[in-house]
Amino acid sequence: MAEPTSKFQPETLDFIARNARVADHVTKILGVSPRAVSGALANEYDTRHNNSLLASWSGAPVQWLGDVFAKRNYFGGVDHEALEESYATTALTPLARDLVGDATAAAMKTRLGLAAVASSGSAGDLTTGKLSDDRLPSTMTAKTITGALTAQGFVTTGANHGIELGPPNTANTPFIDFHSGGNGADYDARIMASGGNASLGQAGLTYIAHGGHYFTGGIIGVGAAFSSNVSAVNFVASGGSGGAMYILSNSDRVLAFQSAASVTRGTIVSSQANSAMQIGVWNTSGVFQQLASWHETGLYSWSGHIARVGGSGLSGEIQLLTNNIGHSYRMIGVNDGGLYIQRSSDRFVSNAPTLLSWNGMNEATFPNYIYAPRFVATANGDGQAIKVGDDVWLGDVNQADTLSVRGQANSANGWIQFGYGGNKLGVNGSVGDRLYWGVSFFIQSDGNMYMPMWGDYLGNVVNGKASVYTGGTRDETNFPIGHTILVETGNADIKERNSAHAIYLNSSYGYGFGGGGAQLAGTWRARGGYDSPGSGAWAYCFVRTA
């Protein structure tokens, strides 16, 4: 730029007058004196049009030379002619000159029909109108939006921050709506809050999603209520003093367990009709199989045919407790093969006497009396159905409808008796054909019996009565009592009256006191004799007396 002169030409003064508004506007933008801008413009114009400066380095010739070099880009600049041509090309229209002449930006926006901005001209001071996205700040703090806010997403980046819905001092039901169906509905799912009081966290949340609620993790909470189906991998009820899950209904409450294909495999039911808690079991096809029920009356029932207790310890145990502590019962199976039924007077704390037990050899032991209307021992083929005492067995003899008494060491010995002493009734295994009654009375299998009052068998007593032998056997040896015979003796063989002698068969026609024949049964006594004259032989009459 040329040096300023002290005297301007008329053309220069006219230039200043024509561009006064422009100079004034520029000074406002640059913040300098209007005279400084007007002087600089005038000085530049004057150096090119003042003839008194032709011989000066600041005159027009030197300025022209600078333009020549500028045209050839020797100095990388732009010549003054180009500037003048550009100025002429971009000459301001009347509207532009009016805008340039406006005193404030607000006046310019008013002339153009635009809303006013702050006097500072900063977008940060905007009070009305709209800003484009590229003019919005990337960070905003503590803003309040009174109308609907539409956005593609919300991301909170600060620690311990969140989203709050609803005015804190006005009762209302704030909610979050989800749109997923694409059908223009007001909402496809909704989460809504209601209720509450001055304490924190006392309101309720309503989840409206009839398509179901799906949780990939656990559902953890102090209390939760659901009005529709809930599907989750796990349910965990926890709390400081315990946890609980409630199923509320006036009808049957059902907790069902299903496969991934929605096939029911088990249920837990609170049955109102049966007043019971029930566990149901289904097969892989979803067909009901078994039911276990616990009734409020105390009854337990199981529709299956097998129940197992134990398996991991040394014993398995089932206890039956009554409302009387002194009458508590249990059944224990131990791993050595034993089974015990016991009773306790203190719930098995310190005592449990055995009422009945079986050992590993299937032997049962009763520690006290046994009372029963019948005892039935089946035929086992070894004669050892019932053991009595230490060495006696009662059992079969491999035949139907029989009873055998056998000794432990010698099966031919042993007693079975009813009663004791003079009133006992029984059999002696060593004498197989007798039934004893009392001390010495017995009956034999042949029908005869011993009569202690007579000291003889009943048969003998009966036979001792007078009777007549009607038989015809030549060599008969057993005649009835009172039967008489004639016995021959040798010389001088005298038998006293009523003396008893053994009588034998002698030859084919007579009896004698010796010889090779068989002896007659019973007792024979002499009743008198006859001495045969001349021969010396005697003939005696003998009578059987016993």
Side-chain angles (χ1 to χ4, degrees), residues 122-126 130-141 143:
S122 172
D125 296 327
L126 180 65
K130 297 181 179 180
L131 293 177
S132 60
D133 289 345
D134 58 352
R135 302 303 297 165
L136 290 174
S138 59
T139 302
M140 302 178 70
T141 304
K143 303 301 181 184

Side-chain angles (χ1 to χ4, degrees), residues 508-538:
S508 60
Y509 54 86
Y511 301 95
F513 298 108
Q519 182 179 357
L520 301 184
T523 301
W524 296 85
R525 294 183 180 277
R527 291 293 188 258
Y530 171 74
D531 181 15
S532 177
S535 63
W538 286 80

Side-chain angles (χ1 to χ4, degrees), residues 3 17 40-41 84 154 162 172 187-188 240 245 258 261 265 278 313 357 385 390 401 424 427-428 445 501 534:
E3 296 179 3
L41 294 174
E84 290 181 357
F154 288 97
N172 66 104
Y187 62 88
D188 294 307
M245 182 173 65
Q258 295 184 333
R265 296 302 312 279
Q278 299 176 318
S357 66
D390 296 330
D401 304 323
K424 68 182 179 181
V427 295
N428 188 342
S445 59
H501 299 277

Side-chain angles (χ1 to χ4, degrees), residues 66-98:
D67 292 340
V68 173
F69 281 104
K71 288 180 179 180
R72 288 168 174 76
N73 203 22
Y74 290 133
F75 305 107
V78 181
D79 65 301
H80 290 285
E81 291 180 359
L83 291 175
E84 290 181 357
E85 291 177 0
S86 177
Y87 173 78
T89 303
T90 59
L92 297 176
T93 64
L95 176 60
R97 286 195 295 270
D98 291 338

Side-chain angles (χ1 to χ4, degrees), residues 328-526:
S328 301
Y329 304 87
R330 71 181 178 184
M331 182 169 62
I332 302 177
V334 296
N335 60 5
D336 63 357
L339 179 64
Y340 300 85
I341 298 177
Q342 300 174 334
R343 180 176 61 193
S344 174
S345 61
D346 59 0
R347 298 284 200 246
F348 306 102
V349 174
S350 62
N351 68 87
T354 298
L355 304 178
L356 173 63
S357 66
W358 287 264
N359 61 22
M361 300 177 63
N362 299 325
E363 296 175 342
T365 300
F366 293 86
N368 211 321
Y369 297 114
I370 301 175
Y371 299 93
R374 293 183 180 88
F375 286 96
V376 179
T378 59
N380 54 27
D382 59 7
Q384 299 178 0
I386 300 176
K387 185 178 181 181
V388 180
D390 296 330
D391 56 2
V392 177
W393 285 100
L394 297 179
D396 63 67
V397 290
N398 303 322
Q399 297 179 12
D401 304 323
T402 60
L403 174 64
S404 173
V405 180
R406 299 175 180 272
Q408 179 74 8
N410 185 350
S411 61
N413 296 324
W415 271 89
I416 179 171
Q417 65 182 28
F418 303 91
Y420 177 76
N423 295 321
K424 68 182 179 181
L425 174 66
V427 295
N428 188 342
S430 60
V431 185
D433 64 344
R434 293 181 178 180
L435 173 62
Y436 288 86
W437 187 7
V439 178
S440 57
F441 174 78
F442 59 85
I443 300 175
Q444 295 183 157
S445 59
D446 60 1
N448 202 0
M449 62 184 68
Y450 185 78
M451 310 297 291
M453 58 183 179
W454 295 328
D456 199 355
Y457 288 92
L458 178 61
N460 293 337
V461 174
V462 172
N463 290 334
K465 302 294 183 178
S467 62
V468 177
Y469 174 68
T470 61
T473 303
R474 189 193 69 174
D475 296 327
E476 178 67 53
T477 60
N478 189 12
F479 295 99
I481 300 299
H483 186 73
T484 60
I485 60 174
L486 182 64
V487 182
E488 295 179 348
T489 67
N491 293 331
D493 188 4
I494 299 174
K495 308 298 182 183
E496 295 182 353
R497 292 185 301 272
N498 298 320
S499 61
H501 299 277
I503 307 300
Y504 297 88
L505 297 177
N506 188 6
S507 71
S508 60
Y509 54 86
Y511 301 95
F513 298 108
Q519 182 179 357
L520 301 184
T523 301
W524 296 85
R525 294 183 180 277

Side-chain angles (χ1 to χ4, degrees), residues 116-400:
V117 297
S119 59
S120 64
S122 172
D125 296 327
L126 180 65
T127 58
T128 61
K130 297 181 179 180
L131 293 177
S132 60
D133 289 345
D134 58 352
R135 302 303 297 165
L136 290 174
S138 59
T139 302
M140 302 178 70
T141 304
K143 303 301 181 184
T144 300
I145 300 174
T146 59
L149 177 63
T150 303
Q152 291 185 348
F154 288 97
V155 179
T156 60
T157 59
N160 302 320
H161 284 66
I163 299 176
E164 297 192 13
L165 301 179
N169 296 318
T170 302
N172 66 104
T173 54
F175 57 86
I176 299 175
D177 284 351
F178 298 90
H179 301 274
S180 59
N183 50 19
D186 182 22
Y187 62 88
D188 294 307
R190 170 176 286 184
I191 300 176
M192 182 170 58
S194 61
N197 52 41
S199 301
L200 298 179
Q202 299 303 308
L205 283 178
T206 300
Y207 296 83
I208 303 175
H210 296 290
H213 297 76
Y214 299 90
F215 302 86
T216 58
I219 300 177
I220 302 176
V222 176
F226 300 92
S227 61
S228 185
N229 296 337
V230 178
S231 298
V233 176
N234 294 299
F235 285 94
V236 179
S238 61
S241 59
M245 182 173 65
Y246 297 92
I247 302 177
L248 306 179
S249 175
N250 291 326
S251 59
D252 290 354
R253 277 86 75 187
V254 180
L255 181 61
F257 301 87
Q258 295 184 333
S259 66
S262 299
V263 176
T264 299
R265 296 302 312 279
T267 57
I268 300 177
V269 180
S270 175
S271 175
Q272 300 300 296
N274 298 309
S275 300
M277 288 296 298
Q278 299 176 318
I279 296 179
V281 180
W282 277 254
N283 62 16
T284 55
S285 299
V287 179
F288 174 77
Q289 298 295 304
Q290 306 296 343
L291 182 67
S293 300
W294 290 262
H295 298 261
E296 63 182 25
T297 59
L299 170 66
Y300 167 73
S301 62
W302 164 243
S303 63
H305 63 285
I306 297 175
R308 293 183 178 178
V309 177
S312 61
L314 298 178
S315 64
E317 180 175 332
I318 298 176
Q319 294 189 1
L320 303 175
L321 308 181
T322 70
N323 59 2
N324 185 339
I325 297 178
H327 294 164
S328 301
Y329 304 87
R330 71 181 178 184
M331 182 169 62
I332 302 177
V334 296
N335 60 5
D336 63 357
L339 179 64
Y340 300 85
I341 298 177
Q342 300 174 334
R343 180 176 61 193
S344 174
S345 61
D346 59 0
R347 298 284 200 246
F348 306 102
V349 174
S350 62
N351 68 87
T354 298
L355 304 178
L356 173 63
S357 66
W358 287 264
N359 61 22
M361 300 177 63
N362 299 325
E363 296 175 342
T365 300
F366 293 86
N368 211 321
Y369 297 114
I370 301 175
Y371 299 93
R374 293 183 180 88
F375 286 96
V376 179
T378 59
N380 54 27
D382 59 7
Q384 299 178 0
I386 300 176
K387 185 178 181 181
V388 180
D390 296 330
D391 56 2
V392 177
W393 285 100
L394 297 179
D396 63 67
V397 290
N398 303 322
Q399 297 179 12

